[in-house]
Amino acid sequence: MESEKTKEESKPFEDPEKKPDARQRSVEPQPAYRGEPAASAMVAERLSAYYGAFKALADINISIQQNKITALIGPSGCGKSTFVRCLNRMHEVTPGGRIEGKLLLYGEDVCGRDVDPVQVRRKVGMVFQKPNPFPTMSIYDNVIAGLKLGGRRKSSELSEVVERTLRQAALWDEVKDKLKESGMALSGGQQQRLCIARTLAVEPEVVLMDEPASALDPVSTQKIEDAMEELKERYTVVIVTHNMQQAARISDYTGFFYIENMGDPGRLWEFDETSKIFSSPNRKETEDYVTGRFG
Amino acid sequence: MSQLATTSARYRRRKLLDKAMTVMAYLCTLAAIVPLVLVLVYVAIKGLGAWSPQFFTGLPQLFGNGGGIYNAIIGTVIIVGLASLMGIPFGIMAGIYLAEYGNNHLGSLIRFTTDVMTGIPSIVVGIFAYGLLVVSMGGFNAFAGAFSLAILMVPIITRTTEEMIRLVPGSIREAALALGAPRWKTIVYVVVPTALGGIMTGILLSIARVAGETAPLILTILGSNFLNTRIFQGPVAALPLQIYDFSRSPYAGVIEAAWGASLVLVLMVLILSLAARLILARRGST
Amino acid sequence: MLSSLTTRFALLKQLRRGNLGDVIFQLLALLFGLSILALVFGIVFETWAQSAPSRREFGWSFLWSTAFDPPNDSFGALPFIYGTIASSILAILIAGPIGIGIAAYLVEIAPRRLNQIVGFVVELLAAVPSIVFGLWGIIVLAPWLKNYIVPPLQAVLGWTPLFSGTFFGPSVFAAGIVLSIMILPTVAAISRDVLRAVPDAQREGMLALGATRWEMFSRAVLPYGKSGITGAVILGLGRAAGETMAVTLIIGNSPKIFTSLFDQGATMASIIANNFAESRGLFLSSLIEIGLMLFAVTFLINVGARLLVSLISRQPQGGIRA
């Protein structure tokens, strides 16, 4: 039993049809990797997501490791973005958006009826595909926009947060002399890093990034990747990316999402350490994808 | 340690404010619905009380029960009909211009002017019609009234026509052009008929809007207690004007007649608006 | 310049191809388009010409004169300008917040189906003729205000000049309330369009920081749509300023500078409607000059407001459900 469990946990992806006992799996959060210092920050148990009647994601089981970068890859439209949007309950914001299953943040149910999504989002921050700074706010105000929701703070404290988070987002040197200017005056890459700083200022446990570099040039992408390396010291990072090199470069774990037939919901096809996924994946589709044979 | 259930005083305040503002939004919506229902219910009850066969066949009186609104109904039909004859072709052609040929500075200027025109007070349009058609024709007349109403119809029809024509898929247009049809034939025989449902909506809404207009009519047709079916000569009655005249009477019976006439007018306007809405809905579902 | 040149070039090319029908049709359409501009010029020209006697007689002093004495042919516009401003501001103070609230409800809260119904109700509100609102206002609303609203209001605020004096029924107060009901659809509909034009990325950005729906609306959506909302409110103001029949019936048409909202007054539009039929000569001309001023004011208001609204429109529509 013990060994089986270890084996099961070491491969958080389970296909319920092959392994019926997966259904009875305990909902208690478990450290996914025995013997490693890392623990699960977030655990999804048979998580499904819907848009109205359409099932976009089916039975996702995953355990996201604390202070690690988890990359989610896969062809377009296979539910990667939907999945990260489930993690901080942004999915429900879309008309018809609905989540089933269990989602735990440090053992606490995130999707419970009595859990306020507002509270979840303070703990699980998100950076979007397109930079979306608030155009009416200055750079400074953009960074502390989320912080201000939590109540008044001393301006010295705020300045400190602004500098720290902008440094973490590798943007400080570029904007330190123009903090009072509009965030819209920045380049696309700078705007995205501003959005990262804004997310960090709230001090979440987990930072979700939905293809944060897809709309950016290579230099900006490089800067964001550099910033992420430092981020995992303090945060757990989940990043959706189209770019497999990026996933291979920066992530510790990689999840591959895949849709077998047109119209099926997306599934987490394989989840493992990044080195394993990119060198010797267990499933053929994963191998085809990471070697660039489709997608 | 429960992270998600931490309920600081600050958090409770934020949630409370959120709830309060949500309730406020509901109340605002209620604030729009309540007066509408009150007005409609009141008009319906008081108006039905004033209705009788004589009310629809008689001429107005200055005392007693106010008499009837026969001449006002005829007057409104004549004036709104005339206004439609002028305003609809005008509005549609201008809309075609904006949609088909208006992607330039002149088009933008005309489009903007059309939008601004919807905000010009109707009484000012009445003054224009008065100066142009009443003074020069030697007296109040139905044509001047119809002209002022047509001006009020034009911007509504123009903008709806433009928007509806722009919604016609390029493939339909291309199909006709590919058959060798010249552009104007494509527009007249293919594009406009395709957009006709939407254009009808605009037309009905504009008729509903001007049928209830009173201000420009005071300045152009004046109002009359007699039946006048001549178009270019003499004061004419119209429903909204008749309501205005009734409502300023000191006699309770005449005020009753104002409610009766209001019900006729409101029904007219509501039926037109509903019809416009239905046409739009049917278009949407197909 | 360039575009007109290319249009001309295209025309020439079509002519050379011999497609006369196209050219004629385009010219015809252009003619009607230009006629819209001509109409606006016509309005300016006509009111300008007809008001000439009044402008000659009174000059600029017409603007600040409070005289209103038909037997002696002495007229001034100040009481009506004042009355228009006061009643419009009262109306927008009521309709502005409520209209934005309706728009917020429609865009941020209401389920799709309800959205359509409420939208239709607001449309109907816009369709009810002005004269019917006037009749309802003077016969039903004014007495109701007198019995139920004015006494408590006066008990609390009676010491201020704004709410002093006796309330008879026809009053600036009642007119302002009816006006606010009438301009509500304008403010609500345009605010709704503006809020829909705020990109969802802005909403999501704020929500992802852990904002409540109200915080999202007040800190991300409203600032983004600020110019458009301002435009919507100003458009409502313009509509209130030009609204004629309801006000004519309710405001009392008393040409004086009032201090109390319970007093009677007159607006530019109402004084024209009330006196036009009986006026001759200089009286008529001065009424038309008031009409010219009303046109100028509402025209400027509308141009400004439309520019503000167009700053935000023509973007993909938003409206997620938080």
Side-chain angles (χ1 to χ4, degrees):
Chain A
M1 182 64 201
E2 181 67 43
S3 67
E4 192 183 319
K5 186 150 219 162
T6 313
K7 192 176 146 207
E8 185 186 307
E9 292 296 331
S10 68
K11 285 204 293 170
F13 165 77
E14 293 295 342
D15 191 337
E17 276 173 31
K18 282 186 192 162
K19 256 190 182 295
D21 64 345
R23 289 167 192 276
Q24 286 114 44
R25 213 157 58 143
S26 155
V27 293
E28 293 298 308
Q30 310 252 345
Y33 290 82
R34 299 267 153 139
E36 280 193 38
S40 302
M42 294 195 85
V43 175
E45 309 254 2
R46 295 183 46 73
L47 185 86
S48 300
Y50 299 80
Y51 291 99
F54 174 69
K55 195 173 190 179
L57 274 180
D59 301 322
I60 308 293
N61 295 301
I62 195 170
S63 132
I64 290 157
Q65 302 304 304
Q66 197 180 336
N67 291 89
K68 299 283 179 201
I69 297 178
T70 302
L72 304 176
I73 58 170
S76 300
C78 61
K80 313 176 296 271
S81 290
T82 305
F83 178 67
V84 287
R85 288 173 65 91
C86 287
L87 292 182
N88 68 344
R89 296 186 60 180
M90 286 297 289
H91 175 64
E92 294 158 52
V93 160
T94 338
R98 193 159 51 82
I99 304 174
E100 275 176 12
K102 203 148 206 174
L103 188 59
L104 304 170
L105 173 66
Y106 291 108
E108 264 190 273
D109 192 354
V110 164
C111 289
R113 239 166 227 286
D114 53 335
V115 176
D116 185 359
V118 168
Q119 294 278 58
V120 176
R121 292 174 197 143
R122 303 289 287 183
K123 298 289 171 196
V124 186
M126 183 161 199
V127 177
F128 296 87
Q129 186 169 358
K130 277 199 200 137
N132 56 351
F134 302 121
T136 53
M137 298 182 193
S138 66
I139 293 173
Y140 185 94
D141 288 333
N142 256 290
V143 175
I144 57 170
L147 208 58
K148 272 162 106 181
L149 300 173
R152 288 185 186 283
R153 298 187 191 216
K154 274 184 283 182
S155 68
S156 61
E157 193 185 344
L158 288 176
S159 301
E160 197 181 302
V161 171
V162 169
E163 178 170 350
R164 174 168 54 79
T165 54
L166 281 174
R167 276 191 197 283
Q168 285 173 338
L171 186 61
W172 174 251
D173 293 332
E174 289 157 65
V175 300
K176 65 182 173 199
D177 298 324
K178 49 177 181 181
L179 292 175
K180 290 293 161 204
E181 283 175 32
S182 164
M184 299 308 282
L186 301 174
S187 74
Q190 289 172 324
Q191 285 185 15
Q192 190 63 299
R193 279 175 281 149
L194 176 61
C195 292
I196 293 176
R198 182 177 76 187
T199 305
L200 299 181
V202 184
E203 299 195 28
E205 304 287 341
V206 181
V207 177
L208 309 173
M209 295 191 175
D210 188 359
E211 301 190 38
S214 69
L216 305 181
D217 59 282
V219 177
S220 301
T221 306
Q222 182 59 48
K223 292 207 160 147
I224 286 179
E225 284 183 17
D226 292 346
M228 290 184 61
E229 236 353 86
E230 291 192 29
L231 289 189
K232 73 174 183 183
E233 306 287 321
R234 293 178 70 124
Y235 308 96
T236 304
V237 179
V238 180
I239 177 170
V240 172
T241 177
H242 258 113
N243 182 332
M244 276 171 293
Q245 286 77 31
Q246 188 174 53
R249 270 198 306 269
I250 59 175
S251 69
D252 303 294
Y253 296 91
T254 298
F256 173 60
F257 280 75
Y258 185 60
I259 293 180
E260 203 167 14
N261 303 302
M262 266 294 235
D264 281 0
R267 288 173 191 278
L268 180 57
W269 212 243
E270 190 165 353
F271 180 62
D272 215 322
E273 289 181 32
T274 298
S275 54
K276 179 90 185 323
I277 292 278
F278 281 92
S279 55
S280 53
N282 280 333
R283 301 184 74 159
K284 185 175 170 301
E285 291 83 0
T286 316
E287 189 176 348
D288 286 350
Y289 185 77
V290 298
T291 52
R293 250 170 262 163
F294 75 89
Chain B
M1 174 198 71
S2 180
Q3 293 195 340
L4 297 176
T6 45
T7 50
S8 65
R10 167 82 194 169
Y11 170 73
R12 278 198 300 272
R13 234 187 8 256
R14 288 172 59 205
K15 289 308 279 185
L16 199 69
L17 185 65
D18 185 48
K19 287 251 164 56
M21 292 322 272
T22 306
V23 171
M24 283 300 289
Y26 275 91
L27 288 180
C28 285
T29 310
L30 208 63
I33 296 173
V34 167
L36 179 73
V37 171
L38 283 179
V39 170
L40 292 185
V41 166
Y42 208 86
V43 168
I45 293 174
K46 295 287 271 184
L48 277 177
W51 278 14
S52 68
Q54 292 78 34
F55 184 68
F56 290 96
T57 56
L59 294 177
Q61 294 166 354
L62 299 175
F63 44 83
N65 65 358
I69 54 168
Y70 176 66
N71 60 337
I73 294 177
I74 300 292
T76 284
V77 169
I78 289 175
I79 288 163
V80 172
L82 261 181
S84 303
L85 280 181
M86 293 186 264
I88 293 172
F90 191 144
I92 291 181
M93 281 307 283
I96 289 174
Y97 170 76
L98 287 181
E100 296 284 337
Y101 308 105
N103 288 323
N104 48 40
H105 289 304
L106 181 62
S108 310
L109 177 68
I110 293 175
R111 194 172 296 116
F112 191 77
T113 310
T114 313
D115 281 344
V116 169
M117 257 178 93
T118 58
I120 294 177
S122 58
I123 191 145
V124 173
V125 173
I127 294 178
F128 174 50
Y130 171 83
L132 196 67
L133 293 172
V134 176
V135 174
S136 65
M137 291 171 76
F140 298 103
N141 61 81
F143 183 73
F147 178 75
S148 63
L149 295 191
I151 295 178
L152 294 170
M153 291 174 78
V154 164
I156 306 174
I157 300 178
T158 300
R159 293 295 270 135
T160 339
T161 303
E162 185 196 355
E163 273 164 38
M164 292 304 151
I165 288 183
R166 282 187 190 277
L167 287 180
V168 173
S171 55
I172 290 182
R173 196 182 309 252
E174 279 161 16
L177 287 172
L179 290 173
R183 186 160 179 198
W184 75 273
K185 277 193 176 164
T186 308
I187 295 170
V188 173
Y189 295 107
V190 180
V191 176
V192 171
T194 312
L196 201 61
I199 297 175
M200 274 307 290
T201 306
I203 290 173
L204 290 178
L205 284 179
S206 72
I207 293 176
R209 155 100 203 271
V210 300
E213 273 295 348
T214 320
L217 298 184
I218 297 179
L219 281 57
T220 50
I221 67 171
L222 190 66
S224 160
N225 285 337
F226 305 100
L227 182 65
N228 176 11
T229 52
R230 285 168 302 179
I231 289 169
F232 295 105
Q233 204 190 352
V236 190
L239 267 176
L241 259 185
Q242 199 61 57
I243 299 170
Y244 180 56
D245 287 344
F246 280 149
S247 68
R248 296 203 295 178
S249 164
Y251 301 107
V254 181
I255 303 262
E256 291 293 309
W259 289 109
S262 292
L263 181 56
V264 177
L265 189 61
V266 165
L267 279 179
M268 238 170 82
V269 167
L270 287 192
I271 288 170
L272 283 168
S273 302
L274 273 171
R277 189 80 187 186
L278 281 181
I279 290 176
L280 205 65
R282 245 220 329 262
R283 255 176 59 88
S285 64
T286 49
Chain C
M1 201 63 219
L2 192 70
S3 64
S4 72
L5 263 176
T6 50
T7 324
R8 274 225 312 264
F9 184 66
L11 274 175
L12 278 175
K13 217 166 69 179
Q14 281 169 338
L15 258 181
R16 219 175 302 135
R17 277 211 311 265
N19 208 336
L20 196 61
D22 271 357
V23 179
I24 292 174
F25 187 77
Q26 180 169 0
L27 284 177
L28 200 64
L30 178 67
L31 188 73
F32 279 99
L34 287 175
S35 301
I36 286 185
L37 297 181
L39 277 179
V40 174
F41 280 116
I43 292 173
V44 175
F45 177 80
E46 199 61 52
T47 45
W48 182 262
Q50 298 274 329
S51 63
S54 163
R55 280 184 287 115
R56 233 183 353 255
E57 178 72 24
F58 305 115
W60 288 105
S61 71
F62 190 69
L63 282 177
W64 53 82
S65 163
T66 56
F68 191 81
D69 190 2
N72 293 318
D73 265 346
S74 170
F75 305 102
L78 189 63
F80 315 115
I81 298 173
Y82 177 78
T84 303
I85 293 173
S87 59
S88 305
I89 287 181
L90 177 60
I92 205 68
L93 282 180
I94 302 171
I98 295 180
I100 296 169
I102 295 173
Y105 172 76
L106 288 176
V107 178
E108 315 288 351
I109 301 174
R112 293 280 137 114
R113 182 167 291 271
L114 221 57
N115 203 326
Q116 283 186 346
I117 296 173
V118 175
F120 183 53
V121 167
V122 173
E123 237 170 68
L124 282 187
L125 201 56
V128 174
S130 169
I131 185 77
V132 176
F133 273 118
L135 183 65
W136 179 77
I138 194 67
I139 309 266
V140 184
L141 182 73
W144 185 78
L145 288 174
K146 185 181 175 184
N147 291 335
Y148 298 103
I149 299 294
V150 171
L153 210 56
Q154 236 163 7
V156 181
L157 294 166
W159 53 274
T160 61
L162 268 183
F163 298 97
S164 62
T166 317
F167 184 90
F168 291 107
S171 59
V172 178
F173 185 61
I177 290 178
V178 171
L179 269 181
S180 72
I181 297 172
M182 298 181 65
I183 63 172
L184 200 53
T186 305
V187 181
I190 296 175
S191 304
R192 176 193 59 192
D193 293 347
V194 167
L195 293 183
R196 283 215 178 120
V198 175
D200 279 345
Q202 291 289 315
R203 294 186 175 84
E204 294 187 338
M206 194 49 96
L207 284 179
L209 295 175
T212 62
R213 183 165 60 197
W214 163 246
E215 285 160 345
M216 171 198 88
F217 183 73
S218 61
R219 292 171 188 230
V221 178
L222 265 190
Y224 192 96
K226 200 170 50 187
S227 66
I229 298 279
T230 314
V233 169
I234 296 177
L235 271 181
L237 195 70
R239 186 132 296 176
E243 184 47 57
T244 312
M245 290 324 291
V247 181
T248 307
L249 280 176
I250 302 168
I251 204 165
N253 291 310
S254 159
K256 63 181 178 197
I257 307 276
F258 49 86
T259 50
S260 168
L261 292 177
F262 297 157
D263 219 337
Q264 304 192 348
T267 67
M268 297 160 87
S270 82
I271 204 68
I272 302 174
N274 198 48
N275 295 299
F276 200 87
E278 294 93 46
S279 61
R280 297 286 175 274
L282 199 56
F283 188 15
L284 180 67
S285 177
S286 56
L287 285 182
I288 293 180
E289 188 176 349
I290 292 175
L292 174 65
M293 282 156 38
L294 181 60
F295 172 77
V297 170
T298 48
F299 188 82
L300 289 179
I301 285 179
N302 272 277
V303 167
R306 290 283 170 193
L307 285 176
L308 282 173
V309 172
S310 66
L311 282 182
I312 188 171
S313 56
R314 305 266 171 240
Q315 279 169 4
Q317 298 208 326
I320 54 177
R321 291 288 176 274

